[in-house]
Structures are given as structure tokens and as C-alpha cells.
Amino acid sequence: MSKPNLVIALTKGRILDEVLPLLAQADIVPAEDISSSRKLIFDTNLAHVKLMVIRGSDVPTYVEFGSADIGVVGKDLLLEYGDEAFYEPLDLDIARCRLMTAEPIGRPTPAGRLRVATKFVNIAKRYFAERGIQIELIKLNGALELAPSMGLADAIVDIVDTGKTLTANGLEAKEFIAHVTSRIIVNKASMKIKNAAIREILEKLSDAVAKRAS
Ligand code: AMP
């Protein structure tokens, strides 16, 4: 019996660079070089598997609505999007970073309502509400590190890896919010209808992750 068609949605950028070697170990190899192409969907060595390469924030949407069966996306975006809409069966343990609050170096946190700039509005709302801290939320889509020095915000909520981006912009990490790694997510209906084919990929990926860790 032929295997059902599977679409895997990948997050472009840093996660893509780290996930391609894991996919290769799971015997899934793009038919052409993804990084030198402007295409958004790619054939692979397996006739039934296609790869999509899109923005991380769009991966949960494609998987929730079943246009992609499987997705690879950072936990930061899953915390922001909500993780009810799909299964999250595997932590790939790649693209590790942290979600943190950050403020100008040496500046005491202002009293009263804190102005917080972030693209992670749901995460920030939840984090400060749980601590009883009143905030004014300012939604930005990028370059969050500029907001405090330009007088737009007192603090930001952002991803921190080495901390170099913060330091270069006169900021320091303050409060830890969550550890972030990339996860596999699976559409709920696909998991039922295409169970054997999806399970085979999950098992191979899981072996590849374990091999990498040992
Ligand atoms: P760093 O200067 O090493 O702390 O890197 C911080 C910046 O790199 C952040 O503002 C993010 O935009 C980006 N970044 C670092 N790690 C990741 C990751 N795992 N996933 C997505 N973006 C990341």
C-alpha cells in the first residue's frame, strides 16, 4: 500500500539550519538546496513527503488547519499561539534559547505601570498578570531592543541566546520566563488518518535526537 502524502512545515532561519541534519538522519532530504532557492515548497527524496519553508509564526496556523501535517517550530511561538490545536509529540532540542524580560543596563525598574514592548503579547500578558504586575503592552514585530532607548518602553520580553544583542543595545536580561527549544507539532486529524506514516517519521526523528544527545 502506498504511503499517504505528508507535508512538513519548517521554520526558516536558524531552526531550518539545525533541523535539516536531523531530517537527513530520519531519511528525509530535500530534492534541492533550500537555502539557495526562492521556492517555498520542496520535493524530497521520498515521493510522499514535501517540505514547506515559512515564518515560524505561520507554522502553527498551517498545522492547525491541516495544510501541513507536521510542523517544526520554536516553543516560544507555541506558548504565544497556544498549544491546544495540535499535538506536540517531540522536543527536537535544537535552537535552544530563553524567553526573558530585559531592561536598560543599571536602570532601576520604574514604579507603577510598566510599559512592555514585545511581539510575544500573550506570553507577556500571562507572565506579568501571574505576578500581579500592571503593564501597558506595546506590540512590535521586530527590533524590540530599540524600544527602551527610544523611549517607547521600560522593558521588553524577547528571546535571548548569548545575550550579545541585548548588550549591544544597552540592555540586560532580568527575569527568566521560559526555556525554548524547537518542537515537532502534528495536526490532530492527520495523526489519526496518517498514523503509521507519521509515527515512522517521529520514531526516526526521536532516534536522531537521542543519538545527537549521546
Ligand atoms: P543573542 O544575541 O545570541 O542573545 O540572540 C538574540 C537574538 O537572536 C534574538 O533577538 C532572536 O531574534 C534571535 N534568536 C536567538 N536564538 C534564537 C532561537 N533559538 N530562535 C529564534 N530566534 C533566536
Side-chain angles (χ1 to χ4, degrees), residues 11-12 14-15 18 74 76-77 94-98 119-120 143-145 156 158-167 180-182:
T11 294
K12 59 180 163 190
R14 183 178 314 221
I15 295 178
E18 294 194 44
D76 51 334
L77 294 173
I94 56 171
R96 263 191 238 176
C97 56
R98 290 156 292 153
K119 58 181 175 187
F120 302 103
L144 307 177
E145 301 85 1
I156 63 171
D158 200 6
I159 282 172
V160 182
D161 180 14
T162 61
K164 283 184 189 157
T165 307
L166 292 182
T167 312
V180 171
T181 49
S182 302

mmCIF file of all heavy atoms in Angstrom, residues 11-12 14-15 18 74 76-77 94-98 119-120 143-145 156 158-167 180-182, ligand 1:
data_model
loop_
_atom_site.group_PDB
_atom_site.id
_atom_site.type_symbol
_atom_site.label_atom_id
_atom_site.label_comp_id
_atom_site.label_asym_id
_atom_site.label_seq_id
_atom_site.Cartn_x
_atom_site.Cartn_y
_atom_site.Cartn_z
ATOM 1 N N THR A 11 10.334 25.986 9.913
ATOM 2 C CA THR A 11 10.559 27.403 10.202
ATOM 3 C C THR A 11 11.861 27.844 9.550
ATOM 4 O O THR A 11 12.892 27.207 9.749
ATOM 5 C CB THR A 11 10.671 27.597 11.730
ATOM 6 O OG1 THR A 11 9.412 27.296 12.328
ATOM 7 C CG2 THR A 11 11.061 29.016 12.079
ATOM 8 N N LYS A 12 11.799 28.928 8.754
ATOM 9 C CA LYS A 12 13.044 29.345 8.098
ATOM 10 C C LYS A 12 13.998 29.992 9.099
ATOM 11 O O LYS A 12 13.595 30.350 10.201
ATOM 12 C CB LYS A 12 12.754 30.272 6.919
ATOM 13 C CG LYS A 12 12.018 31.542 7.219
ATOM 14 C CD LYS A 12 11.853 32.292 5.904
ATOM 15 C CE LYS A 12 10.796 33.354 6.016
ATOM 16 N NZ LYS A 12 10.454 33.924 4.726
ATOM 17 N N ARG A 14 17.382 30.137 11.591
ATOM 18 C CA ARG A 14 18.240 29.320 12.452
ATOM 19 C C ARG A 14 17.713 27.900 12.670
ATOM 20 O O ARG A 14 18.465 26.932 12.646
ATOM 21 C CB ARG A 14 18.307 30.056 13.806
ATOM 22 C CG ARG A 14 19.172 29.470 14.838
ATOM 23 C CD ARG A 14 19.172 30.343 16.091
ATOM 24 N NE ARG A 14 19.348 31.759 15.792
ATOM 25 C CZ ARG A 14 20.110 32.586 16.514
ATOM 26 N NH1 ARG A 14 20.744 32.132 17.559
ATOM 27 N NH2 ARG A 14 20.218 33.856 16.206
ATOM 28 N N ILE A 15 16.393 27.774 12.858
ATOM 29 C CA ILE A 15 15.811 26.448 13.118
ATOM 30 C C ILE A 15 15.989 25.544 11.896
ATOM 31 O O ILE A 15 16.315 24.368 12.024
ATOM 32 C CB ILE A 15 14.317 26.568 13.515
ATOM 33 C CG1 ILE A 15 14.188 27.302 14.850
ATOM 34 C CG2 ILE A 15 13.652 25.201 13.589
ATOM 35 C CD1 ILE A 15 12.749 27.526 15.315
ATOM 36 N N GLU A 18 19.355 23.941 11.688
ATOM 37 C CA GLU A 18 19.580 22.886 12.678
ATOM 38 C C GLU A 18 18.692 21.660 12.450
ATOM 39 O O GLU A 18 19.036 20.559 12.861
ATOM 40 C CB GLU A 18 19.371 23.440 14.100
ATOM 41 C CG GLU A 18 20.429 24.480 14.468
ATOM 42 C CD GLU A 18 20.446 24.794 15.947
ATOM 43 O OE1 GLU A 18 20.375 23.868 16.772
ATOM 44 O OE2 GLU A 18 20.507 26.002 16.283
ATOM 45 N N GLY A 74 9.500 26.841 17.138
ATOM 46 C CA GLY A 74 10.040 27.139 18.466
ATOM 47 C C GLY A 74 8.946 27.136 19.529
ATOM 48 O O GLY A 74 7.804 27.530 19.265
ATOM 49 N N ASP A 76 8.682 29.097 21.888
ATOM 50 C CA ASP A 76 8.247 30.481 22.128
ATOM 51 C C ASP A 76 6.962 30.770 21.357
ATOM 52 O O ASP A 76 6.005 31.331 21.904
ATOM 53 C CB ASP A 76 9.349 31.495 21.759
ATOM 54 C CG ASP A 76 9.919 31.264 20.353
ATOM 55 O OD1 ASP A 76 9.869 30.125 19.865
ATOM 56 O OD2 ASP A 76 10.401 32.239 19.753
ATOM 57 N N LEU A 77 6.935 30.333 20.104
ATOM 58 C CA LEU A 77 5.749 30.604 19.282
ATOM 59 C C LEU A 77 4.572 29.736 19.698
ATOM 60 O O LEU A 77 3.418 30.150 19.589
ATOM 61 C CB LEU A 77 6.078 30.426 17.802
ATOM 62 C CG LEU A 77 7.096 31.468 17.304
ATOM 63 C CD1 LEU A 77 7.541 31.163 15.891
ATOM 64 C CD2 LEU A 77 6.487 32.867 17.372
ATOM 65 N N ILE A 94 16.770 21.542 19.658
ATOM 66 C CA ILE A 94 17.650 22.391 18.835
ATOM 67 C C ILE A 94 17.200 23.839 18.989
ATOM 68 O O ILE A 94 16.122 24.106 19.525
ATOM 69 C CB ILE A 94 17.608 21.994 17.338
ATOM 70 C CG1 ILE A 94 16.162 22.024 16.815
ATOM 71 C CG2 ILE A 94 18.257 20.639 17.120
ATOM 72 C CD1 ILE A 94 16.059 21.861 15.308
ATOM 73 N N ALA A 95 18.031 24.775 18.486
ATOM 74 C CA ALA A 95 17.740 26.214 18.564
ATOM 75 C C ALA A 95 17.342 26.610 19.989
ATOM 76 O O ALA A 95 16.329 27.258 20.205
ATOM 77 C CB ALA A 95 16.659 26.600 17.553
ATOM 78 N N ARG A 96 18.199 26.184 20.918
ATOM 79 C CA ARG A 96 17.922 26.484 22.332
ATOM 80 C C ARG A 96 18.094 27.962 22.635
ATOM 81 O O ARG A 96 19.069 28.577 22.203
ATOM 82 C CB ARG A 96 18.928 25.734 23.206
ATOM 83 C CG ARG A 96 18.390 24.442 23.728
ATOM 84 C CD ARG A 96 19.312 23.920 24.776
ATOM 85 N NE ARG A 96 19.759 22.605 24.368
ATOM 86 C CZ ARG A 96 20.640 21.887 25.021
ATOM 87 N NH1 ARG A 96 21.202 22.385 26.112
ATOM 88 N NH2 ARG A 96 20.976 20.700 24.609
ATOM 89 N N CYS A 97 17.176 28.535 23.376
ATOM 90 C CA CYS A 97 17.302 29.908 23.841
ATOM 91 C C CYS A 97 16.338 30.099 25.003
ATOM 92 O O CYS A 97 15.747 29.117 25.478
ATOM 93 C CB CYS A 97 17.006 30.901 22.715
ATOM 94 S SG CYS A 97 15.395 30.657 21.957
ATOM 95 N N ARG A 98 16.235 31.313 25.516
ATOM 96 C CA ARG A 98 15.340 31.584 26.652
ATOM 97 C C ARG A 98 14.443 32.770 26.329
ATOM 98 O O ARG A 98 14.866 33.684 25.626
ATOM 99 C CB ARG A 98 16.171 31.937 27.900
ATOM 100 C CG ARG A 98 16.931 30.781 28.492
ATOM 101 C CD ARG A 98 18.127 31.274 29.277
ATOM 102 N NE ARG A 98 19.115 31.855 28.358
ATOM 103 C CZ ARG A 98 19.992 32.792 28.665
ATOM 104 N NH1 ARG A 98 20.016 33.313 29.866
ATOM 105 N NH2 ARG A 98 20.848 33.250 27.765
ATOM 106 N N LYS A 119 6.870 41.178 20.850
ATOM 107 C CA LYS A 119 5.980 40.545 19.866
ATOM 108 C C LYS A 119 5.245 39.388 20.514
ATOM 109 O O LYS A 119 4.324 38.828 19.931
ATOM 110 C CB LYS A 119 6.749 40.105 18.618
ATOM 111 C CG LYS A 119 7.872 39.150 18.837
ATOM 112 C CD LYS A 119 8.551 38.838 17.502
ATOM 113 C CE LYS A 119 9.766 37.980 17.699
ATOM 114 N NZ LYS A 119 10.540 37.776 16.495
ATOM 115 N N PHE A 120 5.657 39.001 21.734
ATOM 116 C CA PHE A 120 5.022 37.879 22.444
ATOM 117 C C PHE A 120 3.966 38.420 23.414
ATOM 118 O O PHE A 120 4.131 38.342 24.635
ATOM 119 C CB PHE A 120 6.088 37.076 23.194
ATOM 120 C CG PHE A 120 7.162 36.541 22.305
ATOM 121 C CD1 PHE A 120 8.413 37.137 22.257
ATOM 122 C CD2 PHE A 120 6.925 35.444 21.488
ATOM 123 C CE1 PHE A 120 9.409 36.647 21.427
ATOM 124 C CE2 PHE A 120 7.919 34.942 20.651
ATOM 125 C CZ PHE A 120 9.167 35.553 20.626
ATOM 126 N N ALA A 143 12.950 44.107 16.083
ATOM 127 C CA ALA A 143 13.853 45.116 16.653
ATOM 128 C C ALA A 143 13.345 45.624 17.998
ATOM 129 O O ALA A 143 13.342 46.828 18.263
ATOM 130 C CB ALA A 143 14.053 46.266 15.665
ATOM 131 N N LEU A 144 12.926 44.712 18.842
ATOM 132 C CA LEU A 144 12.378 45.084 20.159
ATOM 133 C C LEU A 144 13.407 45.828 20.987
ATOM 134 O O LEU A 144 13.058 46.683 21.814
ATOM 135 C CB LEU A 144 11.987 43.816 20.941
ATOM 136 C CG LEU A 144 11.079 42.815 20.268
ATOM 137 C CD1 LEU A 144 10.871 41.601 21.144
ATOM 138 C CD2 LEU A 144 9.752 43.476 19.966
ATOM 139 N N GLU A 145 14.689 45.485 20.761
ATOM 140 C CA GLU A 145 15.771 46.028 21.594
ATOM 141 C C GLU A 145 15.861 47.548 21.498
ATOM 142 O O GLU A 145 16.470 48.190 22.348
ATOM 143 C CB GLU A 145 17.122 45.435 21.173
ATOM 144 C CG GLU A 145 17.213 43.930 21.271
ATOM 145 C CD GLU A 145 16.683 43.220 20.032
ATOM 146 O OE1 GLU A 145 16.260 43.912 19.076
ATOM 147 O OE2 GLU A 145 16.661 41.981 20.030
ATOM 148 N N ILE A 156 11.409 45.008 27.729
ATOM 149 C CA ILE A 156 10.953 44.188 26.604
ATOM 150 C C ILE A 156 10.853 42.731 27.064
ATOM 151 O O ILE A 156 11.440 42.360 28.074
ATOM 152 C CB ILE A 156 11.906 44.276 25.378
ATOM 153 C CG1 ILE A 156 13.310 43.731 25.719
ATOM 154 C CG2 ILE A 156 11.989 45.695 24.859
ATOM 155 C CD1 ILE A 156 14.229 43.597 24.500
ATOM 156 N N ASP A 158 11.714 39.230 25.215
ATOM 157 C CA ASP A 158 12.307 38.772 23.950
ATOM 158 C C ASP A 158 13.084 37.483 24.157
ATOM 159 O O ASP A 158 13.303 37.043 25.286
ATOM 160 C CB ASP A 158 13.246 39.856 23.406
ATOM 161 C CG ASP A 158 13.519 39.684 21.907
ATOM 162 O OD1 ASP A 158 12.909 38.805 21.265
ATOM 163 O OD2 ASP A 158 14.352 40.443 21.377
ATOM 164 N N ILE A 159 13.519 36.935 23.036
ATOM 165 C CA ILE A 159 14.362 35.740 23.039
ATOM 166 C C ILE A 159 15.815 36.135 23.282
ATOM 167 O O ILE A 159 16.307 37.083 22.677
ATOM 168 C CB ILE A 159 14.244 35.046 21.671
ATOM 169 C CG1 ILE A 159 12.936 34.276 21.615
ATOM 170 C CG2 ILE A 159 15.400 34.133 21.400
ATOM 171 C CD1 ILE A 159 12.638 33.733 20.269
ATOM 172 N N VAL A 160 16.467 35.409 24.171
ATOM 173 C CA VAL A 160 17.879 35.660 24.447
ATOM 174 C C VAL A 160 18.640 34.354 24.244
ATOM 175 O O VAL A 160 18.230 33.311 24.756
ATOM 176 C CB VAL A 160 18.080 36.143 25.901
ATOM 177 C CG1 VAL A 160 19.554 36.439 26.158
ATOM 178 C CG2 VAL A 160 17.228 37.376 26.185
ATOM 179 N N ASP A 161 19.723 34.447 23.494
ATOM 180 C CA ASP A 161 20.603 33.272 23.354
ATOM 181 C C ASP A 161 21.913 33.598 24.071
ATOM 182 O O ASP A 161 22.087 33.280 25.239
ATOM 183 C CB ASP A 161 20.795 32.957 21.864
ATOM 184 C CG ASP A 161 21.691 31.750 21.648
ATOM 185 O OD1 ASP A 161 21.942 31.017 22.623
ATOM 186 O OD2 ASP A 161 22.165 31.539 20.518
ATOM 187 N N THR A 162 22.839 34.261 23.400
ATOM 188 C CA THR A 162 24.102 34.615 24.075
ATOM 189 C C THR A 162 23.965 35.885 24.915
ATOM 190 O O THR A 162 24.792 36.137 25.782
ATOM 191 C CB THR A 162 25.201 34.874 23.024
ATOM 192 O OG1 THR A 162 24.767 35.974 22.211
ATOM 193 C CG2 THR A 162 25.438 33.652 22.166
ATOM 194 N N GLY A 163 22.959 36.705 24.638
ATOM 195 C CA GLY A 163 22.802 37.987 25.328
ATOM 196 C C GLY A 163 23.527 39.130 24.624
ATOM 197 O O GLY A 163 23.435 40.287 25.039
ATOM 198 N N LYS A 164 24.218 38.810 23.524
ATOM 199 C CA LYS A 164 25.008 39.855 22.828
ATOM 200 C C LYS A 164 24.127 40.948 22.228
ATOM 201 O O LYS A 164 24.490 42.118 22.230
ATOM 202 C CB LYS A 164 25.856 39.216 21.718
ATOM 203 C CG LYS A 164 27.084 38.506 22.250
ATOM 204 C CD LYS A 164 27.932 37.984 21.089
ATOM 205 C CE LYS A 164 29.047 37.087 21.642
ATOM 206 N NZ LYS A 164 29.540 36.145 20.633
ATOM 207 N N THR A 165 22.966 40.546 21.709
ATOM 208 C CA THR A 165 22.069 41.540 21.096
ATOM 209 C C THR A 165 21.587 42.537 22.149
ATOM 210 O O THR A 165 21.525 43.748 21.893
ATOM 211 C CB THR A 165 20.862 40.839 20.436
ATOM 212 O OG1 THR A 165 21.348 39.842 19.550
ATOM 213 C CG2 THR A 165 19.989 41.814 19.677
ATOM 214 N N LEU A 166 21.269 42.031 23.344
ATOM 215 C CA LEU A 166 20.827 42.926 24.424
ATOM 216 C C LEU A 166 21.945 43.899 24.770
ATOM 217 O O LEU A 166 21.745 45.122 24.807
ATOM 218 C CB LEU A 166 20.444 42.111 25.667
ATOM 219 C CG LEU A 166 19.192 41.234 25.574
ATOM 220 C CD1 LEU A 166 18.944 40.535 26.915
ATOM 221 C CD2 LEU A 166 17.973 42.064 25.179
ATOM 222 N N THR A 167 23.142 43.353 25.051
ATOM 223 C CA THR A 167 24.275 44.194 25.470
ATOM 224 C C THR A 167 24.559 45.263 24.420
ATOM 225 O O THR A 167 24.797 46.428 24.765
ATOM 226 C CB THR A 167 25.544 43.327 25.666
ATOM 227 O OG1 THR A 167 25.178 42.192 26.450
ATOM 228 C CG2 THR A 167 26.644 44.098 26.363
ATOM 229 N N VAL A 180 13.367 27.660 25.756
ATOM 230 C CA VAL A 180 12.797 27.458 24.423
ATOM 231 C C VAL A 180 13.679 26.494 23.623
ATOM 232 O O VAL A 180 14.899 26.640 23.603
ATOM 233 C CB VAL A 180 12.697 28.811 23.669
ATOM 234 C CG1 VAL A 180 12.307 28.598 22.213
ATOM 235 C CG2 VAL A 180 11.706 29.738 24.363
ATOM 236 N N THR A 181 13.036 25.504 23.004
ATOM 237 C CA THR A 181 13.689 24.656 22.004
ATOM 238 C C THR A 181 12.669 24.452 20.888
ATOM 239 O O THR A 181 11.486 24.789 21.060
ATOM 240 C CB THR A 181 14.066 23.270 22.596
ATOM 241 O OG1 THR A 181 12.918 22.741 23.274
ATOM 242 C CG2 THR A 181 15.233 23.351 23.566
ATOM 243 N N SER A 182 13.121 23.864 19.786
ATOM 244 C CA SER A 182 12.170 23.623 18.691
ATOM 245 C C SER A 182 11.420 22.318 18.918
ATOM 246 O O SER A 182 11.996 21.342 19.380
ATOM 247 C CB SER A 182 12.905 23.545 17.351
ATOM 248 O OG SER A 182 13.607 24.736 17.149
HETATM 249 P P1 AMP B 1 21.700 36.667 21.197
HETATM 250 O O1 AMP B 1 22.344 37.977 20.798
HETATM 251 O O2 AMP B 1 22.631 35.500 20.973
HETATM 252 O O3 AMP B 1 21.151 36.691 22.610
HETATM 253 O O4 AMP B 1 20.496 36.401 20.180
HETATM 254 C C1 AMP B 1 19.336 37.141 20.327
HETATM 255 C C2 AMP B 1 18.549 37.288 19.062
HETATM 256 O O5 AMP B 1 18.717 36.213 18.151
HETATM 257 C C3 AMP B 1 17.078 37.330 19.454
HETATM 258 O O6 AMP B 1 16.626 38.654 19.463
HETATM 259 C C4 AMP B 1 16.382 36.497 18.426
HETATM 260 O O7 AMP B 1 15.835 37.312 17.435
HETATM 261 C C5 AMP B 1 17.467 35.640 17.803
HETATM 262 N N1 AMP B 1 17.475 34.250 18.326
HETATM 263 C C6 AMP B 1 18.407 33.696 19.120
HETATM 264 N N2 AMP B 1 18.140 32.392 19.351
HETATM 265 C C7 AMP B 1 17.008 32.120 18.672
HETATM 266 C C8 AMP B 1 16.214 30.936 18.509
HETATM 267 N N3 AMP B 1 16.552 29.784 19.066
HETATM 268 N N4 AMP B 1 15.099 31.038 17.767
HETATM 269 C C9 AMP B 1 14.754 32.194 17.186
HETATM 270 N N5 AMP B 1 15.452 33.339 17.305
HETATM 271 C C10 AMP B 1 16.577 33.309 18.026
#
